[in-house]
Structures are given as structure tokens and as C-alpha cells.
Amino acid sequence: MTQVHNRIRARLGIPPLRWSNRLAAIARNRAMDLAMNNNCTMRHTMSELGENLFWASPVKWSDGRREPQKITAPQVAEAWAAEASDYDYSTNSCTTGAMCGHYTQMIWKDSKELGCGMAICPDKAQIWVCVYYPPGNYVGLRPY
């Protein structure tokens, strides 16, 4: 996860993020809470940390079995990074109808630390959470 973030940041000349076990514990707890207490619904928290969320449906077999998709941390980070194509630095905005806030949090120049966690939901979906300190995505400010 950290390697993908830092590869994207390096392309823009932004200093790398450091992995934080403290933030990872917060992210794991947050993922567990979303999975177990919020019907695996993605809902951002209001905190003093930046936050990226990722949800993946379960694999559903014809015999009714469900299992989690085989998703890796780098795949999650690459999905967020793919939003770069919908971000316009000159206007500091996303393409109309598109999302790019995961990407801009990844490249927020003032963020220094990262921690992530994942939880499997009761229906075998999964939810991933990454938290960033200091947070980013302040309205009206550019990420770098």
C-alpha cells in the first residue's frame, strides 16, 4: 500500500509517506466498525485524519456460496490512483460526475503518515480503510 502511494507521489515530486502502526490500528478498527456495525456501508468519519475507503462485493457462486474477492492492498491503492485521470490540476477539480478525492488524498503534499486496514463483512464483502496524517482534501486548496 505504501509503495504504491509513494510511487504516485514520487512522479509529482511529493515527499513519501511513512507507514504508521498507530494509524493502521485506527484504520483496522474503523474497517471493523463499518463491516460489523454499519452493514458494510462506506461512510466517512469526521476526524482529524484523512480517510480513503474502498468496498468490494463478495464472489457469489451458483450454489449460493459467497467468499471475499482476492483483492490486494496494491490493487486498492491503484484503484484510487486511477482517479488521476479525472483530476484537473489547473482548475483543482474533478471531471464533472467523476470522483477524484481518493487520488488527491493520496498525493496531498502535507500528509506525512499512512495506515490502512481491511475487514470482511458478514456477507463476505470487504471494506478497506486508509487514514492519513495530517489530513488533506481541504476545499479550495491544491494537493501540491
Side-chain angles (χ1 to χ4, degrees):
M1 185 67 80
T2 308
Q3 288 176 338
V4 173
H5 275 74
N6 288 338
R7 180 172 34 87
I8 302 303
R9 293 168 70 89
R11 289 181 192 159
L12 299 168
I14 300 167
L17 294 170
R18 291 182 311 272
W19 181 261
S20 165
N21 288 331
R22 179 184 70 82
L23 293 180
I26 292 168
R28 276 191 304 275
N29 289 339
R30 177 81 174 119
M32 288 298 296
D33 181 56
L34 290 170
M36 301 304 165
N37 301 323
N38 289 288
N39 297 322
C40 209
T41 302
M42 291 197 310
R43 189 177 72 227
H44 285 283
T45 185
M46 299 299 287
S47 77
E48 295 185 18
L49 300 171
E51 183 179 69
N52 275 348
L53 303 176
F54 180 92
W55 177 87
S57 64
V59 174
K60 299 175 187 175
W61 297 97
S62 59
D63 63 4
R65 287 182 301 124
R66 290 174 175 242
E67 62 185 45
Q69 291 187 50
K70 291 177 178 26
I71 295 176
T72 65
Q75 288 172 315
V76 171
E78 291 290 356
W80 293 330
E83 293 178 4
S85 64
D86 290 314
Y87 176 66
D88 182 346
Y89 185 82
S90 65
T91 62
N92 192 34
S93 63
C94 301
T95 302
T96 301
M99 196 185 283
C100 66
H102 300 104
Y103 169 70
T104 55
Q105 176 59 78
M106 290 178 81
I107 62 166
W108 198 264
K109 72 175 183 275
D110 294 333
S111 292
K112 307 293 183 214
E113 296 180 306
L114 164 74
C116 303
M118 184 271 286
I120 302 296
C121 304
D123 69 350
K124 303 299 184 195
Q126 56 192 286
I127 193 154
W128 293 71
V129 178
C130 284
V131 292
Y132 303 81
Y133 182 80
N137 284 342
Y138 292 105
V139 175
L141 298 181
R142 294 185 191 282
Y144 60 93

